[in-house]
């Protein structure tokens, strides 16, 4: 029996040693998995920062008052005048949007005047209804029938875009 004892102690120690190795290997594998899974959490701290801000989206509109009493575009009601504007509209970042004369109102002293489509169609280069893709630009003119007494009160940016919710930048420096 004394001869078997050392053998069982040796086999016991061998079993413990194998079990420890299995636990060490399993622990090592688990540690590697945790490190790999945590890479998205700690790696960005060591990488150069890049901007994730989306590109600016806006519609740039330049407008110029070209006439405050255009008598060539139609017959007026008594006390009214035709007021003409030249427009340039540029899509800067939106996938696409529709632009046309009826999407612009003239705002004077809180009163909105809709575009006169009949008078606009008689202008030399009327603004036409079209879809502008990103980086496309269109130019044209529009006309409004306004009370003559309102002409002196036309503000610096009198036009209002009512074609949807977009970031509009009114430009005068093109």
């Amino acid at each position: 029996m004394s001869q078997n004892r050392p053998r069982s102690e040796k086999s016991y120690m061998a079993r413990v040693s194998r079990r420890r190795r299995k636990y060490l290997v399993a622990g090592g594998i688990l540690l590697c998995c945790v490190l790999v899974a945590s890479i998205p959490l700690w790696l960005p701290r060591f990488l150069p920062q890049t901007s994730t801000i989306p590109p600016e989206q806006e519609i740039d509109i330049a407008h110029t008052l070209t006439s405050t009493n255009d008598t060539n575009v139609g017959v007026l009601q008594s006390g009214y005048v035709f007021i003409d504007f030249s427009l340039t509209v540029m899509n800067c970042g939106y996938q696409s949007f529709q632009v046309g004369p009826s999407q612009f109102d003239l705002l004077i002293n809180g009163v909105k005047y809709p575009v006169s489509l009949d008078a606009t169609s008689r202008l030399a280069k009327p603004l036409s209804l079209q879809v502008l893709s990103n980086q496309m630009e269109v130019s044209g003119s529009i006309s409004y029938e306004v009370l003559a007494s309102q002409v002196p009160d036309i503000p610096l940016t009198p036009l209002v875009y009512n074609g949807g919710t977009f970031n509009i930048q009114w430009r005068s420096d093109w």
Side-chain angles (χ1 to χ4, degrees):
M1 224 176 186
S2 64
Q3 288 178 346
N4 284 345
R5 193 169 225 188
R7 219 182 233 188
S8 82
E9 279 182 33
K10 283 183 184 179
S11 70
Y12 172 75
M13 292 303 283
R15 282 190 311 230
V16 168
S17 179
R18 278 187 298 222
R19 205 175 285 151
R20 281 185 187 157
R21 269 189 259 139
K22 285 181 183 177
Y23 286 131
L24 282 174
V25 169
I29 291 172
L30 182 61
L31 180 61
C32 287
C33 290
V34 168
L35 285 173
V36 168
S38 69
I39 286 174
L41 301 174
W42 57 266
L43 185 62
R45 295 179 189 159
F46 301 104
L47 296 175
Q49 296 298 317
T50 57
S51 175
T52 57
I53 299 170
E56 177 114 9
Q57 293 179 324
E58 66 184 27
I59 298 172
D60 289 347
I61 303 174
H63 66 287
T64 305
L65 179 63
T66 56
S67 175
T68 57
N69 190 10
D70 189 351
T71 57
N72 300 320
V73 292
V75 178
L76 290 161
Q77 299 177 44
S78 178
Y80 283 78
V81 293
F82 283 115
I83 296 178
D84 303 336
F85 286 90
S86 173
L87 292 173
T88 301
V89 182
M90 182 174 187
N91 181 354
C92 299
Y94 289 102
Q95 184 175 352
S96 66
F97 68 93
Q98 185 172 319
V99 66
S102 62
Q103 294 170 325
F104 293 94
D105 290 330
L106 176 62
L107 183 63
I108 304 174
N109 293 331
V111 178
K112 279 187 180 179
Y113 293 92
V115 72
S116 172
L117 294 174
D118 188 45
T120 296
S121 68
R122 293 186 178 132
L123 294 170
K125 186 181 176 197
L127 181 67
S128 61
L129 179 65
Q130 58 189 290
V131 174
L132 289 184
S133 298
N134 189 16
Q135 299 304 313
M136 283 184 64
E137 178 179 303
V138 65
S139 294
S141 298
I142 52 178
S143 188
Y144 298 89
E145 188 173 351
V146 178
L147 279 169
S149 61
Q150 295 282 354
V151 172
D153 296 331
I154 296 174
L156 184 61
T157 305
L159 299 179
V160 177
Y161 180 76
N162 60 24
T165 306
F166 294 100
N167 180 16
I168 304 291
Q169 295 298 319
W170 294 94
R171 305 282 185 193
S172 59
D173 55 356
W174 273 355

